[in-house]
Amino acid sequence: MEFEQILRLIDKIDAAGVSSFEYENNGQKISVKWDRDKKETVYSAAPVQAEKVVSEKVKETGNLVTSPLVGTFYAAPSQDSQPFVKKGDVVKKGQVLAIVEAMKLMNEIESEFEGIVADILVENGQSVEYGTPLFRIEEA
């Protein structure tokens, strides 16, 4: 994405009242956060090495559940609810692990594996891309 396109996108997102935005492509990451109370905008840009981050968080054992779409990761059905799963929980194939919100639609992320939740690899409210590792499930 060209610099001018990024600026236009940021302006549109700002006008929509969104509080944060992250964009990642080819090892470059741009993060924009608006403090709506203070009317401040904080920009940051940094190269990322997704493979390195994943390899640091993911051991070689277990199966990865990845995001099937771009959106926002939510560990629970609502802010007041308990997370769908916690580290150490036993899960069955087809069990809901989390939600990824995309374009105001809540998409349930189901486990493709049976086993134990060994790692939760993203934070609640974090933006995720297609293929982002969300959970590591080890065989029970």
Side-chain angles (χ1 to χ4, degrees):
M1 187 177 278
E2 304 245 352
F3 184 73
E4 293 298 322
Q5 291 174 311
I6 293 170
L7 291 178
R8 283 193 301 269
L9 180 61
I10 290 171
D11 286 342
K12 287 182 180 185
I13 293 169
D14 185 25
V18 175
S19 62
S20 68
F21 168 76
E22 289 186 4
Y23 175 79
E24 185 177 332
N25 188 25
N26 294 328
Q28 294 294 319
K29 182 176 181 180
I30 297 170
S31 176
V32 181
K33 294 182 182 178
W34 290 269
D35 186 339
R36 298 289 177 195
D37 295 333
K38 294 182 180 180
K39 305 281 190 242
E40 291 180 0
T41 305
V42 178
Y43 299 89
S44 69
V48 295
Q49 296 174 339
E51 292 176 14
K52 182 178 178 185
V53 172
V54 171
S55 66
E56 288 175 3
K57 291 186 175 184
V58 180
K59 297 177 185 164
E60 292 188 19
T61 61
N63 298 298
L64 291 179
V65 176
T66 60
S67 180
L69 61 152
V70 175
T72 304
F73 173 87
Y74 293 109
S78 69
Q79 289 181 346
D80 300 334
S81 301
Q82 292 293 319
F84 287 104
V85 295
K86 298 181 291 292
K87 187 173 179 177
D89 285 355
V90 175
V91 295
K92 296 184 185 283
K93 187 174 183 176
Q95 180 177 340
V96 176
L97 302 175
I99 293 173
V100 173
E101 177 188 7
M103 297 174 53
K104 306 279 184 200
L105 296 174
M106 301 299 185
N107 301 278
E108 292 182 340
I109 306 303
E110 297 178 351
S111 179
E112 302 165 24
F113 313 101
E114 292 192 8
I116 299 169
V117 177
D119 285 308
I120 301 173
L121 304 168
V122 292
E123 298 292 324
N124 192 49
Q126 179 178 332
S127 295
V128 295
E129 299 288 326
Y130 173 80
T132 300
L134 305 174
F135 298 91
R136 185 171 62 87
I137 310 292
E138 289 183 342
E139 292 183 20

